[in-house]
Amino acid sequence: MNIIRMYRSRKYLRRILLAVLTIPFVLVTIFSIILYMNSRDTALKIQSEADRKILAQINYNIMSMNEMVENLAKSVYLDTDMVALLYGRDENIFELPSKMLKLEKLVSSTSFLHSIIIYNANTEKYYSTDSLFQQNANGERERFDRFLHTSDSVRRLQLIPISYDKDSSAEGKVSSIDLFGYLMYGSEESPADHSSSMVILVVKPEWLFDNLEMLNGLSGYGENSIVIVNDRGEYYTRNQLPPAIDPDELGEALLTDQPGSFGQFVRTIQDSSHLASYMHTDVYGWTIVSIRPYEAVLGSIYQMRGHFILITVLFLLLSLIVAFPVSRRLYGPLENILKQLKQVPQSMFAGMRTGVQDEMKYLSQLHTHVFRKMDEYERDRDAKRSIVINYQLRKLILDSTAENEQTFRQWIADGQLRIAESGPYVLIVMKIDDYEQYLQLSSADRRLLSFAVGNISEELLSSLAPVEFVDMKNDQFTLLVSGAGMESELMDGLVPALEEVQETLHRLYRLSLTVAISQPAADYREWTSRYGEALRSAAYRMVFGKRSVITLERIREKAGSDTFPNTADLEKRLTENLKAMRTEALAADLDELLDQAARSNIENIQHWILHLLVVIRGTIMEINNNRLLPVDMDWQDGYRRVLDAETLEEVRDQFLKMFANLEEHRQSSSEEKKDALVDTIRELIDTHYMDMDLSLQSISSMLKMSSAYVGRLFKANTSVTVTEYIHNVRLNKALELLEGEDYSINEVMERIGYRTQSHFFKLFKSKYGTTPREYRLKRSLLGHN
């Protein structure tokens, strides 16, 4: 009774009990349902893939059978020995045995043939390799003849299922196959009028249905049934359609399902769910349908469902046993807090809202009431402090002489600056790599990254010395490190710590930073000069690459080199290779130029890049002055991309892209020039074909080009030589003159530019297969007729 009274009086305790009892039960139930549904879907998917493969194999077998039977039927029909049997009006009893023997040998050598029948429409006689059919012992011939000349399903070059007896219970829709017939005859019309002689190949039904049953056995379910449905909705099986399948219901299901090469659906047939898979074949208009009871596919899944239900019920009983002690233990700390609050003076709760629903809400409202103003005050003070400190530090870094020493020391004493009162101080510039991409981020993301850089930097460097982080509000951040009394240890550990900062930021946020370290400053008044020094060092990112740590020791030799790179010879070689557009040589020249430039100081490197741009532009302008079609390039975009590059490697890539763009423009204009030249040559030939001196040499002379170049260019673009094209134009014109003008052969020859008649006759006959006289005579005779 005490336990019941306790649970009634404590609302939050009841909620804990309900959560401990319900949540695991709900999770287990959901997990069981998901596992069951996933298992069912997986089983259906596996079965669908198995059915697809089996039906695809059946479709392939039917296509192969159709190809073999079609080739055999055509070979028999076109066999000259069979002409007398097909069309003879008199039967030659002496030749008949040899012809039939030939057909019997063909049947015996072919595994899928039952027999071959030849029907002579002139004599209305059948000749068959099947002795029972030929003797008509049981009326087989009459039944076959009746089917052949009365059935509207008889079609040329198609495998025709033949069944002499229909299943009346299915209204003639379901047939047990007696044999397959494959007809070959000359007419496209139906043979129903007895007017077409034909070759009939009788195919064993077992050849197809044994194959279907073998593939059916591979599916793993013995209750599976495979039937063939033709385009008239008739069903064919080896024996009979399984009794569980209603052909009308199955036909309706096939019609309502979406058409396609392969499909699958679940259909209730005679109060029993069946999984039907079908595939439309590529021949005969057949559809292969595989039908199996749904339980055969999901039997093991249904057993699993029962196990899931049993496990869920058992878990519910276990939860009931465990829920009471667990909820009581979870409620214990909250109960202790409530007991302690009873000793607090009630004046502390003045103004607090009443009507709370449970213990946890009561404590939540209490926390909000007592600590809300304190939290707001702390948050406002921290935010203001962060903004003020960042402003003060940025102001000191940019102009360190603006503040007096007393104010600086007061900031430190008040805790606004977490650095030592005296030096040395080290300024570290952290430059953002790929700054253009960084600017694409939203302002919220940039604020988050700024916070992450400051937080991680201060955490990893604070073990060395006091650190202050400053967001400079541009492409960089600055760190102030003070190492009074521990200068040597600070400088030894600073580079590894900064490399760890770089790695952490890149791993967590994909943010790349290049770091430059200044010389120690003895006093805060030197911050500005040391900041400028670190900025100049950071510019050497151009040489050392992104995510590098740049110290004065690394750049001392380069910074002391004030000699402008002497690359005159290399530049000359680069311009020559640029004019000739030697791609590999240009890349090698550029690598050597950049290697020499990297040995100088950063100012000279930047000036040299501008100088190289001017050299390249001057070279391209010189190329354009000598070209018929100048190369048009967007120099402003090219300049911007090169000057925005952050490293020499990126400078190299931009120059190579510029060269590739130039090559693309040159090739395009070169193709246009070639096309224009070829069109000019054609026009010259079309206009001056009557000139007896017209030749490759005369055309080259007119164009002021070498005959070898003109001939090679024309052949490459037209696939014929200049001489062949001249002959083609002249001979085509000769045809027009021979047909439409009253000129003699010699006049025609002279008008098209030939001097000798023998040469003209030889070319004309080579092209048209006749002489000009024979051609004119033939055209005259055709005209009189």
Side-chain angles (χ1 to χ4, degrees), residues 562-593:
D562 197 25
T563 304
F564 194 80
N566 185 11
T567 57
D569 294 338
L570 278 174
E571 291 172 12
K572 182 179 179 181
R573 191 171 68 194
L574 181 137
T575 57
E576 292 173 353
N577 289 327
L578 186 58
K579 291 176 182 178
M581 195 45 65
R582 302 185 187 98
T583 306
E584 294 183 359
L586 280 172
D589 293 342
L590 193 59
D591 289 340
E592 192 170 350
L593 284 168

PDB file of all heavy atoms in Angstrom, residues 562-593:
ATOM      1  N   ASP A 562      68.510  40.430 -53.174  1.00  0.00           N
ATOM      2  CA  ASP A 562      67.800  41.574 -53.754  1.00  0.00           C
ATOM      3  C   ASP A 562      68.036  41.666 -55.258  1.00  0.00           C
ATOM      4  O   ASP A 562      67.790  42.695 -55.875  1.00  0.00           O
ATOM      5  CB  ASP A 562      68.267  42.869 -53.061  1.00  0.00           C
ATOM      6  CG  ASP A 562      67.302  44.017 -53.319  1.00  0.00           C
ATOM      7  OD1 ASP A 562      66.117  43.717 -53.590  1.00  0.00           O
ATOM      8  OD2 ASP A 562      67.728  45.176 -53.273  1.00  0.00           O
ATOM      9  N   THR A 563      68.522  40.583 -55.856  1.00  0.00           N
ATOM     10  CA  THR A 563      68.820  40.583 -57.294  1.00  0.00           C
ATOM     11  C   THR A 563      67.607  40.100 -58.066  1.00  0.00           C
ATOM     12  O   THR A 563      67.057  39.027 -57.764  1.00  0.00           O
ATOM     13  CB  THR A 563      70.024  39.674 -57.586  1.00  0.00           C
ATOM     14  OG1 THR A 563      71.129  40.114 -56.800  1.00  0.00           O
ATOM     15  CG2 THR A 563      70.388  39.739 -59.069  1.00  0.00           C
ATOM     16  N   PHE A 564      67.199  40.876 -59.059  1.00  0.00           N
ATOM     17  CA  PHE A 564      66.065  40.470 -59.885  1.00  0.00           C
ATOM     18  C   PHE A 564      66.471  39.264 -60.738  1.00  0.00           C
ATOM     19  O   PHE A 564      67.585  39.241 -61.281  1.00  0.00           O
ATOM     20  CB  PHE A 564      65.629  41.616 -60.794  1.00  0.00           C
ATOM     21  CG  PHE A 564      64.286  41.400 -61.435  1.00  0.00           C
ATOM     22  CD1 PHE A 564      63.136  41.648 -60.721  1.00  0.00           C
ATOM     23  CD2 PHE A 564      64.191  40.950 -62.735  1.00  0.00           C
ATOM     24  CE1 PHE A 564      61.893  41.455 -61.296  1.00  0.00           C
ATOM     25  CE2 PHE A 564      62.958  40.752 -63.322  1.00  0.00           C
ATOM     26  CZ  PHE A 564      61.802  41.002 -62.604  1.00  0.00           C
ATOM     27  N   PRO A 565      65.617  38.243 -60.833  1.00  0.00           N
ATOM     28  CA  PRO A 565      65.997  37.028 -61.562  1.00  0.00           C
ATOM     29  C   PRO A 565      66.419  37.340 -62.991  1.00  0.00           C
ATOM     30  O   PRO A 565      65.689  37.989 -63.746  1.00  0.00           O
ATOM     31  CB  PRO A 565      64.704  36.187 -61.536  1.00  0.00           C
ATOM     32  CG  PRO A 565      63.930  36.699 -60.371  1.00  0.00           C
ATOM     33  CD  PRO A 565      64.267  38.157 -60.261  1.00  0.00           C
ATOM     34  N   ASN A 566      67.632  36.872 -63.369  1.00  0.00           N
ATOM     35  CA  ASN A 566      68.142  37.082 -64.723  1.00  0.00           C
ATOM     36  C   ASN A 566      67.743  35.873 -65.570  1.00  0.00           C
ATOM     37  O   ASN A 566      68.444  34.864 -65.613  1.00  0.00           O
ATOM     38  CB  ASN A 566      69.661  37.245 -64.688  1.00  0.00           C
ATOM     39  CG  ASN A 566      70.215  37.576 -66.061  1.00  0.00           C
ATOM     40  OD1 ASN A 566      69.460  37.883 -66.982  1.00  0.00           O
ATOM     41  ND2 ASN A 566      71.532  37.512 -66.192  1.00  0.00           N
ATOM     42  N   THR A 567      66.625  35.992 -66.221  1.00  0.00           N
ATOM     43  CA  THR A 567      66.066  34.863 -66.970  1.00  0.00           C
ATOM     44  C   THR A 567      65.886  35.209 -68.438  1.00  0.00           C
ATOM     45  O   THR A 567      64.986  34.700 -69.103  1.00  0.00           O
ATOM     46  CB  THR A 567      64.712  34.451 -66.368  1.00  0.00           C
ATOM     47  OG1 THR A 567      63.834  35.598 -66.371  1.00  0.00           O
ATOM     48  CG2 THR A 567      64.861  33.951 -64.951  1.00  0.00           C
ATOM     49  N   ALA A 568      66.732  36.070 -68.973  1.00  0.00           N
ATOM     50  CA  ALA A 568      66.562  36.537 -70.348  1.00  0.00           C
ATOM     51  C   ALA A 568      66.629  35.377 -71.335  1.00  0.00           C
ATOM     52  O   ALA A 568      65.800  35.270 -72.255  1.00  0.00           O
ATOM     53  CB  ALA A 568      67.613  37.596 -70.676  1.00  0.00           C
ATOM     54  N   ASP A 569      67.641  34.496 -71.178  1.00  0.00           N
ATOM     55  CA  ASP A 569      67.784  33.378 -72.106  1.00  0.00           C
ATOM     56  C   ASP A 569      66.588  32.435 -72.025  1.00  0.00           C
ATOM     57  O   ASP A 569      66.086  31.946 -73.044  1.00  0.00           O
ATOM     58  CB  ASP A 569      69.079  32.617 -71.816  1.00  0.00           C
ATOM     59  CG  ASP A 569      70.311  33.462 -72.108  1.00  0.00           C
ATOM     60  OD1 ASP A 569      70.192  34.431 -72.898  1.00  0.00           O
ATOM     61  OD2 ASP A 569      71.378  33.171 -71.538  1.00  0.00           O
ATOM     62  N   LEU A 570      66.164  32.175 -70.800  1.00  0.00           N
ATOM     63  CA  LEU A 570      65.008  31.293 -70.628  1.00  0.00           C
ATOM     64  C   LEU A 570      63.756  31.910 -71.228  1.00  0.00           C
ATOM     65  O   LEU A 570      62.929  31.218 -71.843  1.00  0.00           O
ATOM     66  CB  LEU A 570      64.783  31.001 -69.141  1.00  0.00           C
ATOM     67  CG  LEU A 570      65.636  29.895 -68.524  1.00  0.00           C
ATOM     68  CD1 LEU A 570      65.405  29.836 -67.026  1.00  0.00           C
ATOM     69  CD2 LEU A 570      65.291  28.555 -69.155  1.00  0.00           C
ATOM     70  N   GLU A 571      63.577  33.223 -71.039  1.00  0.00           N
ATOM     71  CA  GLU A 571      62.402  33.891 -71.594  1.00  0.00           C
ATOM     72  C   GLU A 571      62.419  33.834 -73.115  1.00  0.00           C
ATOM     73  O   GLU A 571      61.382  33.635 -73.766  1.00  0.00           O
ATOM     74  CB  GLU A 571      62.349  35.342 -71.119  1.00  0.00           C
ATOM     75  CG  GLU A 571      62.056  35.488 -69.638  1.00  0.00           C
ATOM     76  CD  GLU A 571      62.204  36.918 -69.159  1.00  0.00           C
ATOM     77  OE1 GLU A 571      62.312  37.813 -70.014  1.00  0.00           O
ATOM     78  OE2 GLU A 571      62.229  37.132 -67.936  1.00  0.00           O
ATOM     79  N   LYS A 572      63.609  33.983 -73.711  1.00  0.00           N
ATOM     80  CA  LYS A 572      63.727  33.902 -75.165  1.00  0.00           C
ATOM     81  C   LYS A 572      63.339  32.500 -75.658  1.00  0.00           C
ATOM     82  O   LYS A 572      62.620  32.343 -76.650  1.00  0.00           O
ATOM     83  CB  LYS A 572      65.155  34.236 -75.576  1.00  0.00           C
ATOM     84  CG  LYS A 572      65.362  34.213 -77.087  1.00  0.00           C
ATOM     85  CD  LYS A 572      66.800  34.584 -77.436  1.00  0.00           C
ATOM     86  CE  LYS A 572      67.014  34.528 -78.958  1.00  0.00           C
ATOM     87  NZ  LYS A 572      68.405  34.852 -79.321  1.00  0.00           N
ATOM     88  N   ARG A 573      63.830  31.494 -74.938  1.00  0.00           N
ATOM     89  CA  ARG A 573      63.497  30.123 -75.327  1.00  0.00           C
ATOM     90  C   ARG A 573      62.007  29.850 -75.153  1.00  0.00           C
ATOM     91  O   ARG A 573      61.375  29.179 -75.975  1.00  0.00           O
ATOM     92  CB  ARG A 573      64.315  29.145 -74.492  1.00  0.00           C
ATOM     93  CG  ARG A 573      64.252  27.700 -74.984  1.00  0.00           C
ATOM     94  CD  ARG A 573      65.253  26.860 -74.257  1.00  0.00           C
ATOM     95  NE  ARG A 573      64.887  26.713 -72.852  1.00  0.00           N
ATOM     96  CZ  ARG A 573      65.714  26.242 -71.905  1.00  0.00           C
ATOM     97  NH1 ARG A 573      66.952  25.920 -72.235  1.00  0.00           N
ATOM     98  NH2 ARG A 573      65.319  26.121 -70.663  1.00  0.00           N
ATOM     99  N   LEU A 574      61.409  30.410 -74.090  1.00  0.00           N
ATOM    100  CA  LEU A 574      59.972  30.223 -73.859  1.00  0.00           C
ATOM    101  C   LEU A 574      59.151  30.864 -74.974  1.00  0.00           C
ATOM    102  O   LEU A 574      58.163  30.296 -75.447  1.00  0.00           O
ATOM    103  CB  LEU A 574      59.583  30.791 -72.491  1.00  0.00           C
ATOM    104  CG  LEU A 574      58.110  30.640 -72.102  1.00  0.00           C
ATOM    105  CD1 LEU A 574      57.992  30.210 -70.650  1.00  0.00           C
ATOM    106  CD2 LEU A 574      57.327  31.929 -72.292  1.00  0.00           C
ATOM    107  N   THR A 575      59.550  32.076 -75.418  1.00  0.00           N
ATOM    108  CA  THR A 575      58.811  32.738 -76.493  1.00  0.00           C
ATOM    109  C   THR A 575      58.903  31.939 -77.785  1.00  0.00           C
ATOM    110  O   THR A 575      57.923  31.837 -78.537  1.00  0.00           O
ATOM    111  CB  THR A 575      59.344  34.155 -76.712  1.00  0.00           C
ATOM    112  OG1 THR A 575      60.752  34.098 -76.993  1.00  0.00           O
ATOM    113  CG2 THR A 575      59.107  35.014 -75.478  1.00  0.00           C
ATOM    114  N   GLU A 576      60.079  31.341 -78.057  1.00  0.00           N
ATOM    115  CA  GLU A 576      60.215  30.527 -79.265  1.00  0.00           C
ATOM    116  C   GLU A 576      59.320  29.283 -79.187  1.00  0.00           C
ATOM    117  O   GLU A 576      58.666  28.926 -80.163  1.00  0.00           O
ATOM    118  CB  GLU A 576      61.679  30.116 -79.448  1.00  0.00           C
ATOM    119  CG  GLU A 576      62.606  31.284 -79.773  1.00  0.00           C
ATOM    120  CD  GLU A 576      64.074  30.865 -79.790  1.00  0.00           C
ATOM    121  OE1 GLU A 576      64.346  29.695 -79.418  1.00  0.00           O
ATOM    122  OE2 GLU A 576      64.929  31.699 -80.151  1.00  0.00           O
ATOM    123  N   ASN A 577      59.314  28.644 -78.027  1.00  0.00           N
ATOM    124  CA  ASN A 577      58.458  27.467 -77.876  1.00  0.00           C
ATOM    125  C   ASN A 577      56.979  27.842 -77.903  1.00  0.00           C
ATOM    126  O   ASN A 577      56.137  27.058 -78.339  1.00  0.00           O
ATOM    127  CB  ASN A 577      58.777  26.745 -76.561  1.00  0.00           C
ATOM    128  CG  ASN A 577      60.126  26.054 -76.602  1.00  0.00           C
ATOM    129  OD1 ASN A 577      60.551  25.583 -77.658  1.00  0.00           O
ATOM    130  ND2 ASN A 577      60.801  26.009 -75.465  1.00  0.00           N
ATOM    131  N   LEU A 578      56.651  29.060 -77.431  1.00  0.00           N
ATOM    132  CA  LEU A 578      55.273  29.516 -77.461  1.00  0.00           C
ATOM    133  C   LEU A 578      54.819  29.774 -78.898  1.00  0.00           C
ATOM    134  O   LEU A 578      53.693  29.455 -79.268  1.00  0.00           O
ATOM    135  CB  LEU A 578      55.124  30.785 -76.614  1.00  0.00           C
ATOM    136  CG  LEU A 578      53.703  31.329 -76.422  1.00  0.00           C
ATOM    137  CD1 LEU A 578      52.802  30.281 -75.785  1.00  0.00           C
ATOM    138  CD2 LEU A 578      53.734  32.587 -75.548  1.00  0.00           C
ATOM    139  N   LYS A 579      55.711  30.335 -79.702  1.00  0.00           N
ATOM    140  CA  LYS A 579      55.350  30.574 -81.108  1.00  0.00           C
ATOM    141  C   LYS A 579      55.136  29.255 -81.846  1.00  0.00           C
ATOM    142  O   LYS A 579      54.244  29.151 -82.689  1.00  0.00           O
ATOM    143  CB  LYS A 579      56.449  31.379 -81.794  1.00  0.00           C
ATOM    144  CG  LYS A 579      56.556  32.820 -81.292  1.00  0.00           C
ATOM    145  CD  LYS A 579      57.736  33.536 -81.935  1.00  0.00           C
ATOM    146  CE  LYS A 579      57.859  34.972 -81.397  1.00  0.00           C
ATOM    147  NZ  LYS A 579      59.026  35.671 -81.975  1.00  0.00           N
ATOM    148  N   ALA A 580      55.978  28.253 -81.507  1.00  0.00           N
ATOM    149  CA  ALA A 580      55.836  26.942 -82.148  1.00  0.00           C
ATOM    150  C   ALA A 580      54.830  26.059 -81.426  1.00  0.00           C
ATOM    151  O   ALA A 580      54.521  24.969 -81.903  1.00  0.00           O
ATOM    152  CB  ALA A 580      57.193  26.241 -82.194  1.00  0.00           C
ATOM    153  N   MET A 581      54.343  26.514 -80.264  1.00  0.00           N
ATOM    154  CA  MET A 581      53.390  25.802 -79.423  1.00  0.00           C
ATOM    155  C   MET A 581      53.878  24.379 -79.124  1.00  0.00           C
ATOM    156  O   MET A 581      53.227  23.383 -79.379  1.00  0.00           O
ATOM    157  CB  MET A 581      52.008  25.767 -80.080  1.00  0.00           C
ATOM    158  CG  MET A 581      50.885  25.380 -79.118  1.00  0.00           C
ATOM    159  SD  MET A 581      50.948  26.196 -77.500  1.00  0.00           S
ATOM    160  CE  MET A 581      50.670  27.913 -77.944  1.00  0.00           C
ATOM    161  N   ARG A 582      55.084  24.316 -78.521  1.00  0.00           N
ATOM    162  CA  ARG A 582      55.625  23.045 -78.048  1.00  0.00           C
ATOM    163  C   ARG A 582      55.220  22.905 -76.579  1.00  0.00           C
ATOM    164  O   ARG A 582      55.851  23.484 -75.695  1.00  0.00           O
ATOM    165  CB  ARG A 582      57.140  23.026 -78.210  1.00  0.00           C
ATOM    166  CG  ARG A 582      57.621  23.255 -79.643  1.00  0.00           C
ATOM    167  CD  ARG A 582      59.136  23.104 -79.735  1.00  0.00           C
ATOM    168  NE  ARG A 582      59.632  23.472 -81.061  1.00  0.00           N
ATOM    169  CZ  ARG A 582      60.149  24.660 -81.361  1.00  0.00           C
ATOM    170  NH1 ARG A 582      60.237  25.603 -80.404  1.00  0.00           N
ATOM    171  NH2 ARG A 582      60.573  24.911 -82.580  1.00  0.00           N
ATOM    172  N   THR A 583      54.195  22.134 -76.329  1.00  0.00           N
ATOM    173  CA  THR A 583      53.568  22.083 -75.002  1.00  0.00           C
ATOM    174  C   THR A 583      54.522  21.574 -73.930  1.00  0.00           C
ATOM    175  O   THR A 583      54.667  22.180 -72.859  1.00  0.00           O
ATOM    176  CB  THR A 583      52.322  21.193 -75.060  1.00  0.00           C
ATOM    177  OG1 THR A 583      51.468  21.652 -76.108  1.00  0.00           O
ATOM    178  CG2 THR A 583      51.566  21.251 -73.743  1.00  0.00           C
ATOM    179  N   GLU A 584      55.168  20.453 -74.181  1.00  0.00           N
ATOM    180  CA  GLU A 584      56.061  19.879 -73.170  1.00  0.00           C
ATOM    181  C   GLU A 584      57.247  20.796 -72.908  1.00  0.00           C
ATOM    182  O   GLU A 584      57.677  20.965 -71.755  1.00  0.00           O
ATOM    183  CB  GLU A 584      56.532  18.505 -73.629  1.00  0.00           C
ATOM    184  CG  GLU A 584      55.411  17.467 -73.719  1.00  0.00           C
ATOM    185  CD  GLU A 584      55.932  16.107 -74.101  1.00  0.00           C
ATOM    186  OE1 GLU A 584      57.160  15.978 -74.310  1.00  0.00           O
ATOM    187  OE2 GLU A 584      55.115  15.173 -74.200  1.00  0.00           O
ATOM    188  N   ALA A 585      57.785  21.387 -73.967  1.00  0.00           N
ATOM    189  CA  ALA A 585      58.912  22.300 -73.786  1.00  0.00           C
ATOM    190  C   ALA A 585      58.492  23.538 -73.004  1.00  0.00           C
ATOM    191  O   ALA A 585      59.258  24.048 -72.169  1.00  0.00           O
ATOM    192  CB  ALA A 585      59.485  22.697 -75.155  1.00  0.00           C
ATOM    193  N   LEU A 586      57.271  24.026 -73.237  1.00  0.00           N
ATOM    194  CA  LEU A 586      56.779  25.188 -72.487  1.00  0.00           C
ATOM    195  C   LEU A 586      56.693  24.870 -71.001  1.00  0.00           C
ATOM    196  O   LEU A 586      57.063  25.699 -70.161  1.00  0.00           O
ATOM    197  CB  LEU A 586      55.402  25.594 -73.016  1.00  0.00           C
ATOM    198  CG  LEU A 586      55.370  26.431 -74.296  1.00  0.00           C
ATOM    199  CD1 LEU A 586      53.945  26.594 -74.796  1.00  0.00           C
ATOM    200  CD2 LEU A 586      56.005  27.793 -74.063  1.00  0.00           C
ATOM    201  N   ALA A 587      56.188  23.677 -70.668  1.00  0.00           N
ATOM    202  CA  ALA A 587      56.091  23.303 -69.251  1.00  0.00           C
ATOM    203  C   ALA A 587      57.468  23.222 -68.613  1.00  0.00           C
ATOM    204  O   ALA A 587      57.671  23.672 -67.478  1.00  0.00           O
ATOM    205  CB  ALA A 587      55.356  21.962 -69.126  1.00  0.00           C
ATOM    206  N   ALA A 588      58.443  22.666 -69.341  1.00  0.00           N
ATOM    207  CA  ALA A 588      59.804  22.568 -68.803  1.00  0.00           C
ATOM    208  C   ALA A 588      60.419  23.958 -68.631  1.00  0.00           C
ATOM    209  O   ALA A 588      61.057  24.240 -67.600  1.00  0.00           O
ATOM    210  CB  ALA A 588      60.660  21.710 -69.732  1.00  0.00           C
ATOM    211  N   ASP A 589      60.229  24.843 -69.621  1.00  0.00           N
ATOM    212  CA  ASP A 589      60.755  26.205 -69.497  1.00  0.00           C
ATOM    213  C   ASP A 589      60.131  26.921 -68.304  1.00  0.00           C
ATOM    214  O   ASP A 589      60.818  27.625 -67.550  1.00  0.00           O
ATOM    215  CB  ASP A 589      60.452  26.993 -70.775  1.00  0.00           C
ATOM    216  CG  ASP A 589      61.222  26.445 -71.980  1.00  0.00           C
ATOM    217  OD1 ASP A 589      62.198  25.712 -71.750  1.00  0.00           O
ATOM    218  OD2 ASP A 589      60.811  26.734 -73.117  1.00  0.00           O
ATOM    219  N   LEU A 590      58.826  26.766 -68.134  1.00  0.00           N
ATOM    220  CA  LEU A 590      58.127  27.431 -67.037  1.00  0.00           C
ATOM    221  C   LEU A 590      58.632  26.923 -65.695  1.00  0.00           C
ATOM    222  O   LEU A 590      58.822  27.707 -64.757  1.00  0.00           O
ATOM    223  CB  LEU A 590      56.623  27.195 -67.177  1.00  0.00           C
ATOM    224  CG  LEU A 590      55.700  28.047 -66.318  1.00  0.00           C
ATOM    225  CD1 LEU A 590      55.902  29.527 -66.606  1.00  0.00           C
ATOM    226  CD2 LEU A 590      54.237  27.676 -66.566  1.00  0.00           C
ATOM    227  N   ASP A 591      58.850  25.618 -65.567  1.00  0.00           N
ATOM    228  CA  ASP A 591      59.380  25.068 -64.315  1.00  0.00           C
ATOM    229  C   ASP A 591      60.757  25.662 -64.000  1.00  0.00           C
ATOM    230  O   ASP A 591      61.048  26.008 -62.843  1.00  0.00           O
ATOM    231  CB  ASP A 591      59.480  23.547 -64.419  1.00  0.00           C
ATOM    232  CG  ASP A 591      58.118  22.879 -64.403  1.00  0.00           C
ATOM    233  OD1 ASP A 591      57.163  23.525 -63.942  1.00  0.00           O
ATOM    234  OD2 ASP A 591      58.016  21.725 -64.849  1.00  0.00           O
ATOM    235  N   GLU A 592      61.595  25.794 -65.008  1.00  0.00           N
ATOM    236  CA  GLU A 592      62.933  26.331 -64.781  1.00  0.00           C
ATOM    237  C   GLU A 592      62.884  27.814 -64.419  1.00  0.00           C
ATOM    238  O   GLU A 592      63.620  28.287 -63.537  1.00  0.00           O
ATOM    239  CB  GLU A 592      63.789  26.123 -66.037  1.00  0.00           C
ATOM    240  CG  GLU A 592      65.267  26.373 -65.820  1.00  0.00           C
ATOM    241  CD  GLU A 592      66.118  25.935 -66.990  1.00  0.00           C
ATOM    242  OE1 GLU A 592      65.568  25.254 -67.897  1.00  0.00           O
ATOM    243  OE2 GLU A 592      67.316  26.275 -67.002  1.00  0.00           O
ATOM    244  N   LEU A 593      61.983  28.550 -65.074  1.00  0.00           N
ATOM    245  CA  LEU A 593      61.823  29.971 -64.745  1.00  0.00           C
ATOM    246  C   LEU A 593      61.348  30.155 -63.317  1.00  0.00           C
ATOM    247  O   LEU A 593      61.863  31.001 -62.568  1.00  0.00           O
ATOM    248  CB  LEU A 593      60.822  30.608 -65.717  1.00  0.00           C
ATOM    249  CG  LEU A 593      61.330  30.908 -67.136  1.00  0.00           C
ATOM    250  CD1 LEU A 593      60.166  31.244 -68.051  1.00  0.00           C
ATOM    251  CD2 LEU A 593      62.327  32.061 -67.108  1.00  0.00           C
TER     252      LEU A 593
END
